Amino acid sequence: MNAIECDGLTRHFGNIRAVEKLTLQVPAGSIFALLGSNGAGKTTLLKLILNLLRPSSGQARVLGGDSAKLRADNFQRIGYVAEDVIHPDWMNLSSFLGYHRSLYRSWDSKLESQLRDKFNLPEGIAIKRFSRGMRMKAILLSTLCFRPELLVLDEPFSGLDPQVRDDLIEGILELTAADSPCTVVISSHDIAEIERLADWVGILAHGRIVLAEALTELQFRFRRIEVVGPDVRQQMPDPAPAGWIRAEATTPTLIQFIHTQFNTNTEAELRSMFVNARIQSSQLSLRDIFLATSKSSTSTDGLLT
Amino acid sequence: MSSFLAVLKKDLGRNWLLMLATTLIWVVCLAMALFYEANPEQPLRISLLTVGIIARVVLVVVVAVVVVQTDLIMDDRAAWRTRPIGRTTLLLSKVVALTLGLVAPSILLDTLARLLLSTSLVEALVASAATGMLLLAALLFVALISALTRSLTQFVLLTCAIGVILTVAAFSTSGINTPNMKVQIDGVAIPLRNVLNSNNPDQVSPTTTWVVSTICILLAGSFSLVVTYLTGRRIVAFAAGIVTYTIAVMAPGFWHLNLSPEVSQAPSVAPSPSSTRVTSAGKALSQLSAIRSASIVNYTLRVDGLTAGWTMDWHSAAMRIQGSNNQTILGSAFGSGHGLRAAASAAARTILNREDRTSVLIPGALSLPLSDLESLRGSTARIEGSIRVMPRFYQVVHTLPLSPGTQREKSGNRWRVVTTKRFPIGRNSTDMQLWSVTVDAIIGTNPTSRPEEFQMVLVNEPRQEMALPSLHLKSTSLETGVLRIQRTEVAFARDYRVFPDLYGGVRHELDEEWMKGATLIILSSSPGPAFTVPLRDDEATFASLPAH
């Protein structure tokens, strides 16, 4: 069961192809991190999913329905937090939450109380006078309290200090820890925070999806390989096999590369390829995987499973 | 429903102070109007009231823009787009917020003001609702422009742009001619530009036009807003707005709906081309003035075959004046009719039981190119062309004894005699003694009871004589929107020779005895369908062109 399914989703702005024939599934109940460099198309993709933009072609399905047909009632189940959203921020916190409370049938006053205690926001002043972090907390608070089935977060951590990031992450985890299933899609540059939070990862480049899979599988599949032995440089296949990226022979006795298709047979295959060599494999962080995929050739062959 | 109430509460909560300020300004304006009505000796401070009215208009526009732009339609960053708030709900809540915050207080205050003026509740409610409808129509337009923009600055810029476009369009289609512009010639008859033919009258009662226009504009605003909110697409919204407002502005011109009680009481047969005959009075043209390259000359028409209570005004004319040396001047004229004598005629019929005239002379101002006129000065010329005339029906509204403080009311309008006093005229202030009468008129905005024009005459019934206004000494009008207080001071002279070929009236002194038996007659006038008649070749007149 997928919370979101995109099929050939495309959006052009004039000559700019912001999202190009994108196909993606976000499993229900997952915390799906959407990574990509600036201009990769993350925000456009999220706006297409939420029917804030109309696709040039293709379609997306959200919680089982066509995203182009999302209506007001669907947003009883969908929450969206983004920095550039224009909120009624002249209100103070109580009015702000009171306004949103009256919009949602499923508003959880107990959760509101818990999160208000956790976030420790000032009550009497207008939200527009809040600091950036406090403002994000208030907006997240107004979104978490109706317990959305799908929570979409666009760059929620950018420019926030570590303490605020921790508070926000705790708030999100509070929601996902509940009995009712909640899918979280989060786009961010803050890969370290994402790694703590996400269990699925999608990487976007030039409007196309480069990879999308469970974080554990991804971290198993992507391995840094070091081959050490006499004359290994001469044994290095040319061209490099599919699935090897950033392969280089640093010295005649050392080859380093990232294997993107690592599995239980990979080490045995490498030993047969490099006779008398020592093979060392190590797990990559999500940051390294992201950088490896971003800096690899524009071709995405071999990255997708 | 809960989201509707939530948005409504939010908008009212944010703007209640501005809405209250708007209401308070209106309270002050109405209080001023009521004060002047209660104290006729006080001079009207129109400038102060104007400032109040302008301040209110500005505040109303600002509130409307803020209410609408709080939740932007043309912006995918607007928070409501990802909250459970439907587009229809949002639109409804905005319209209700504007109605509750701006229109309802206005109707309430207007009704209260009229009740304080002793108007009946029904009259007061109808008049105030009519004003409220006009305010709502204006607000819907402001809301539409606000929905198409993202800020007050953008709103102002777009409004200015629309204003410029409309002004240019109006000028380019209005047929306004400079004196040197040549009119079209088609054979002998010279067709008028930009006027409808006689089978399609373009003049209907202002009441009719007002009501139908306002309803059409309300519908156009509503439809455009619905399209704007439901589609959220700027191009579609612009197209819908342009098309619907164009239809709304044009539609009433093709709609004759008789709603005015004044018009309904009019004789069923209004003057028409078949029943009336318009000819030149055949008098010498006299030069009135010369403005830049044009000369304004006086030209008089004679209209025969009028029915009771009806007279004619000029609407416009295109003429060709051919001198004896075959030189031709093309001229044009626009309305400058005078309803005074028709008013007298109507009063004479009602009060003095006199026969109605079936003919009337209507003087007009004809604009001729000065350079062409020079060569024809002093000679005799034949005049032919097309003339558009506008019938006008007069009837007696009130008869008031000339005692200060006397007042009469009808259909939400009220007249009161304020003062009557001698008014010396002439170099020595003793040459002639006229009598001046000052009248306060409270004229409501109820479109069903607001004729286009009022006239006053004095009648001495025992003597079977009549006095017409000779001098309009002072006329001040103070209009708050809900009502107009018009203070008019007119000097009367006796004129018992109300003959068809007399214009202006001969002045005769009014003595105190005459005034003791005098009654003030208030007459209203309403226009009938205009029509065009040619001055045919066989009816062409010869007139002496003005000499130096």
Side-chain angles (χ1 to χ4, degrees), chain A residues 47 50-54 72-73 75-76 78 80 84-88 90-91 96 99-100 102-104 139 142-143 146, chain B residues 2-4 6-7 10-11 13-14 70-72 75-87 230-233:
Chain A
K47 288 188 172 181
L50 294 171
N51 196 26
L52 293 174
L53 290 173
R54 292 179 177 83
D73 205 47
F75 285 98
Q76 291 281 356
I78 302 170
Y80 177 57
D84 66 346
V85 170
I86 304 164
H87 289 275
W90 68 87
M91 295 177 168
F96 187 71
Y99 167 60
H100 287 101
S102 55
L103 292 175
Y104 293 99
I139 295 165
S142 72
T143 309
F146 67 90
Chain B
S2 62
S3 59
F4 163 76
V7 177
K10 168 183 70 87
D11 288 338
R14 188 191 187 188
T70 296
D71 298 291
L72 294 167
D75 196 328
D76 58 31
R77 298 170 304 161
W80 71 270
R81 298 279 302 270
T82 51
R83 299 287 183 180
I85 300 170
R87 290 174 176 272
L230 292 191
T231 64
R233 308 182 82 161

Side-chain angles (χ1 to χ4, degrees), chain A residues 147-200:
Chain A
R147 293 197 175 278
E149 288 175 42
L150 173 63
L151 176 62
V152 179
L153 305 159
D154 190 6
E155 298 288 355
F157 307 124
S158 81
L160 303 182
D161 66 52
Q163 180 61 51
V164 176
R165 290 179 189 206
D166 278 355
D167 286 347
L168 293 182
I169 288 170
E170 281 179 36
I172 295 164
L173 291 174
E174 192 110 23
L175 184 72
T176 54
D179 296 339
S180 54
C182 175
T183 309
V184 180
V185 177
I186 181 166
S187 88
S188 181
H189 288 115
D190 298 286
I191 300 171
E193 308 294 351
I194 289 291
E195 195 164 9
R196 292 166 54 197
L197 190 63
D199 50 15
W200 273 73

